[in-house]
């Protein structure tokens, strides 16, 4: 901490101390000085300001250490709020959280479908205003709005969507347009990275754990957190595991390649294979449309967990491909923990966990050194929206982290 704070601005010091209080549970001023390396006078000044802003509260007295009992300080999560929005083709999810990442209110709405970016932004603004009114929170306590989007990220404030049929989104500056339309700062991030940040904050993963989150919505994405910080790569486009090639002669992928994980195992592929089995498609009542992939896939996955052998084989095949991809990622990054998150795991997540656990613990290069735990996220299908809200917390509480992303106003 002392090293981190060397050369830090007043704002960064302020945030770092607030984060130290948050992660400590309760803490005294003396312990804060010890842990941060700042002088007692500096700590007193920062604490005074945090108390005045309502961001922390005094909460009783600690154990006596050599005489006088010192006042304990505690983070006050309800002093500020964050909004997280996850947007994809099929659905939009909103969450309002406190500063601990606890959900206060949520809303589900339709996805972007074939709408133009401008139409979607107008709708988002309306839905967001309704949601904030419904929660009854003071607008001034809203720190910012985080947005999780699938697809390629552009530089600066623009976001590029990688959906080949939605080119209108490619050059559209979501962050700039949305922050102009609402009165709050906005931050945008890809959905897999959001899911990883959500696990770190709302899922309470310790900073010491290096872990990956595998996010499954329409496609697969990997989010990485190392040493309590997000790894973004050189252009925030890290983790495109969906385009890892698993079969050089495999089916064509929309990215231009062949045999990618996505082409072999994504929900659309599973639905396509089920559709090819006429009696099964009829039996399951599959709609087989581009917009029904999520519900069709959920139907197949649910039947698999109920023991239908045809559905079980389809899901297990998809899970085997994902397990192979995760094995390579584990070997590449020496991971000790992988979390499966997102709406794609709602019905049959356990089957994917089982396949990946078996494969990694059977073949991982470091299996004799340490196990690699694979588990389902506890955050549910709104993991990316929660992560987007956490992104706001991350930018407020840990601006000293090198890869932190600033809110745009
Ligand atoms: Zn591909």
């Amino acid at each position: 901490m002392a090293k981190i704070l060397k050369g830090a601005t007043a704002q960064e010091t302020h945030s770092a101390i607030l984060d130290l209080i948050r992660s400590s549970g309760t803490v005294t001023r003396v312990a804060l000085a010890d842990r941060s390396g700042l002088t007692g006078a500096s700590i007193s000044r920062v604490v005074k300001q945090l108390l005045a802003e309502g961001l922390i509260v005094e909460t009783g007295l600690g154990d006596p250490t050599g005489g006088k009992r010192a006042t304990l300080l505690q983070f006050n999560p309800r002093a500020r709020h964050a909004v997280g929005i996850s947007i994809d083709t099929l659905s939009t999810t909103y969450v309002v959280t406190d500063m601990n990442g606890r959900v206060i209110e949520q809303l589900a709405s339709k996805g972007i479908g074939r709408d133009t970016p401008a139409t979607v932004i107008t709708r988002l603004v309306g839905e967001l205003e309704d949601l904030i009114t419904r929660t009854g929170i003071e607008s001034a306590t809203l720190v910012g709005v985080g947005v999780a989007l699938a697809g390629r990220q552009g530089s600066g404030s623009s976001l590029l969507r990688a959906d080949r049929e939605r080119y209108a989104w490619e050059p559209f500056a979501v962050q700039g347009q949305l922050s102009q339309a609402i009165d709050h700062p906005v931050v945008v991030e890809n959905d897999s990275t959001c899911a990883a940040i959500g696990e770190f904050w709302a899922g309470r993963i310790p900073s010491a754990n290096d872990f990956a989150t595998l996010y499954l919505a329409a496609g697969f994405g990997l989010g990485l957190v190392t040493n309590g910080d997000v790894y973004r790569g050189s252009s925030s486009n890290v983790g495109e595991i969906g385009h890892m090639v698993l079969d050089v002669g495999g089916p064509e992928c929309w990215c231009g390649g062949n045999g990618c994980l996505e082409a072999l195992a994504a929900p659309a592929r599973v639905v396509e294979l089920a559709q090819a089995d006429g009696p099964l498609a009829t039996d399951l009542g599959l709609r087989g449309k581009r917009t029904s992939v999520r519900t069709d896939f959920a139907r197949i996955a649910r039947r698999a967990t109920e023991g239908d052998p045809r559905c079980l084989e389809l899901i297990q095949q998809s899970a085997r491909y994902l397990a192979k991809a995760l094995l390579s990622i584990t070997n590449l990054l020496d991971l000790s923990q992988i979390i499966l998150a997102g709406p794609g795991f709602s019905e049959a997540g356990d089957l994917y966990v089982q396949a990946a656990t078996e494969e990694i613990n059977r073949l991982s290069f470091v299996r004799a050194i340490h196990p690699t735990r694979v588990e389902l996220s506890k955050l549910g299908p709104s993991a990316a929206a929660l992560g987007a809200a956490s992104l706001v917390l991350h930018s407020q509480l840990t601006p000293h982290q090198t890869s932190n992303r600033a809110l745009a106003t």
Side-chain angles (χ1 to χ4, degrees), residues 277 280 303-316:
D277 179 344
L280 178 63
R303 278 290 190 93
T305 62
E306 289 165 3
D308 182 309
R310 300 163 299 177
C311 294
L312 190 60
E313 177 47 32
L314 288 172
I315 294 295
Q316 279 179 333

Side-chain angles (χ1 to χ4, degrees), residues 1-2 5 32-39:
M1 175 66 86
L5 290 178
L32 279 179
D34 270 359
R35 289 180 207 169
S36 66
L38 293 180
T39 64

Side-chain angles (χ1 to χ4, degrees), residues 242-243 253-255 257 260:
H243 302 288
C253 178
W254 65 267
C255 74
C260 298

Side-chain angles (χ1 to χ4, degrees), residues 326 337-340 352-353 356-357 360 372-376:
L326 291 177
Q337 190 177 12
I338 299 172
I339 295 162
L340 306 188
Y352 284 89
V353 168
T357 302
I360 291 169
T372 300
R373 262 196 349 269
V374 182
E375 56 201 281
L376 273 185

